[in-house]
């Protein structure tokens, strides 16, 4: 099994994704063919004076895509057709969203952190010169900073979830027409922008005074919504439901830093989400 990581190469699109390179399956001789997967990301690049220093949201992204990668690697299927994320659509994001939780756990944040000035003498010299400090900071992220970071976890959650609900509703709307003719008559741009206003309560150019007031034909945001034709067709709502919530079906027990203690973290998964 192999995991390849392309973290900040030039010439890629701007987001992050996981790609299966070779699915796993049982061959004609009864032996397992092992999978290979790739994490393709666009993280902060290193400079001549500093290594690649990931922002917290980049760490969350890394864990999210790693969730897909692990799902890819640990899948054990007879047929390659059902390997990895080629499973029921509403489970595809579950491993990724489970891994994201570790990025909001104090003990994990501290264990993941490491101030770059401790990596080498050159980095130490650069830090002291650029910061004007007379000594290095603590090697691990301070507990007070961790607490402040965690306190921001749900900032703007309502707007984020309304945005996801807008995407899911639009996705279902364009897949619901009773006939092909009805779909051809649908004004897609108007439908996308009017749903955005109705659900997210965000005003766009249609609210500006002038000749274009009330005109929903702007932006063509639906053309930037790649999930519509990337496998989530008529199913994007499951992405939202896995995020906001769900039926308790599994408990994951993980060891904490103390060898004799455990912490039970409950993750909620639903194989058949309903609105």
């Amino acid at each position: 099994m192999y995991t390849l990581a392309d973290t900040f190469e030039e010439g890629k699109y701007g987001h992050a994704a996981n790609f299966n390179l070779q699915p796993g399956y049982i061959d004609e001789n009864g032996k397992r063919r092992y999978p290979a997967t790739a994490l393709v990301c666009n993280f902060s690049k290193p400079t001549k004076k500093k290594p690649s220093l990931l922002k917290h949201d980049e760490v969350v992204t890394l864990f999210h895509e790693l969730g897909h990668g692990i799902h890819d690697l640990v899948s054990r299927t007879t047929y390659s057709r059902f390997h990895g994320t080629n499973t029921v659509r509403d489970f595809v994001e579950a491993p990724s969203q489970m891994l994201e939780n570790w990025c909001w756990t104090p003990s994990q944040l501290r264990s993941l952190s490491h101030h770059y000035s401790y990596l080498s003498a050159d980095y130490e010299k650069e830090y002291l010169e650029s910061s004007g400090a007379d000594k290095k900071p603590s090697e691990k992220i301070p507990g007070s900073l961790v607490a402040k970071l965690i306190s921001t976890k749900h900032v703007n959650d309502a707007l984020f979830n309304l945005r996801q609900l807008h995407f899911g509703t639009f996705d279902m709307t364009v897949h619901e027409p009773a006939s092909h003719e009805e779909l051809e008559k649908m004004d897609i741009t108007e439908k996308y922008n009017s749903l955005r206003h109705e659900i997210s309560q965000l005003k766009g150019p249609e609210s500006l005074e002038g000749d274009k007031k009330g005109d929903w034909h702007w932006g063509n945001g639906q053309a930037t919504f790649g999930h519509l034709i990337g496998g989530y067709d008529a199913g994007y709502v499951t992405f939202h439901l896995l995020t906001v919530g769900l039926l308790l079906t599994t408990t994951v027990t993980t060891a904490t830093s103390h060898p004799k203690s455990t912490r039970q973290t409950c993750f909620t998964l639903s194989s058949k989400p309903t609105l």
Side-chain angles (χ1 to χ4, degrees):
M1 297 185 288
Y2 296 93
T3 301
L4 305 179
D6 181 357
T7 52
F8 34 70
E9 289 296 326
E10 297 285 352
K12 299 195 302 287
Y13 46 66
H15 62 286
N18 168 251
F19 298 98
N20 172 262
L21 301 178
Q22 175 178 287
Y25 59 90
I26 305 300
D27 66 19
E28 63 272 17
N29 298 315
K31 294 183 178 181
R32 188 182 180 211
R33 171 81 174 260
Y34 290 95
T37 193
L39 307 182
V40 181
C41 307
N42 283 277
F43 295 141
S44 299
K45 299 178 182 179
T47 66
K48 293 181 179 180
K49 295 184 177 181
K50 294 182 180 180
S52 175
L53 302 175
L54 300 189
K55 299 185 288 290
H56 180 256
D57 66 317
E58 292 179 314
V59 176
V60 174
T61 296
L62 175 60
F63 272 62
H64 181 98
E65 299 307 335
L66 186 60
H68 289 312
I70 292 175
H71 188 182
D72 211 358
L73 294 180
V74 303
S75 293
R76 299 182 67 88
T77 56
T78 300
Y79 305 105
S80 62
R81 170 66 181 81
F82 303 108
H83 176 82
T85 56
N86 291 318
T87 182
V88 287
R89 178 56 55 184
D90 60 335
F91 185 76
V92 170
E93 296 297 330
S96 294
Q97 294 187 13
M98 282 192 283
L99 259 69
E100 283 186 30
N101 279 274
W102 306 135
C103 301
W104 297 99
T105 304
S107 59
Q108 299 302 323
L109 284 171
R110 285 187 60 81
S111 66
L112 288 169
S113 69
H114 191 91
H115 198 276
Y116 77 94
S117 62
Y118 288 83
L119 295 177
S120 71
D122 288 339
Y123 284 147
E124 178 182 359
K125 179 181 178 182
E126 191 284 329
Y127 169 76
L128 294 175
E129 290 178 351
S130 62
S131 67
D134 55 1
K135 64 178 182 179
K136 295 188 293 185
S138 60
E139 185 174 0
K140 296 294 184 179
I141 186 172
S144 59
L145 188 56
V146 170
K148 291 178 180 178
L149 180 61
I150 293 176
S151 71
T152 69
K153 181 178 182 180
H154 297 295
V155 171
N156 290 328
D157 265 9
L159 288 175
F160 173 82
N161 289 321
L162 286 173
R163 179 174 179 266
Q164 292 296 96
L165 189 58
H166 166 226
F167 289 158
T169 303
F170 175 77
D171 175 38
M172 294 304 298
T173 300
V174 298
H175 285 94
E176 284 182 336
S179 66
H180 183 70
E181 290 72 20
E182 184 180 337
L183 178 60
E184 286 186 320
K185 293 178 181 179
M186 183 184 296
D187 189 324
I188 302 296
T189 299
E190 179 178 355
K191 180 63 67 176
Y192 181 88
N193 288 328
S194 62
L195 283 173
R196 175 183 179 271
H197 176 73
E198 176 185 344
I199 296 171
S200 300
Q201 297 294 299
L202 297 175
K203 295 180 180 180
E206 76 279 350
S207 301
L208 298 176
E209 297 295 332
D211 296 340
K212 295 295 183 178
K213 185 177 178 60
D215 185 355
W216 298 101
H217 298 90
W218 59 269
N220 297 307
Q222 72 280 1
T224 69
F225 186 16
H227 287 78
L228 275 179
I229 54 173
Y232 283 90
D233 322 33
Y236 188 82
V237 68
T238 61
F239 198 120
H240 174 69
L241 289 171
L242 273 170
T243 303
V244 297
L246 325 172
L247 301 175
L248 179 62
T249 60
T250 187
T251 300
V252 179
T253 303
T254 63
T256 62
S257 56
H258 193 288
K260 293 184 179 180
S261 65
T262 61
R263 177 178 63 253
Q264 288 189 326
T265 305
C266 297
F267 298 104
T268 53
L269 311 176
S270 171
S271 59
K272 294 184 179 180
T274 55
L275 284 172

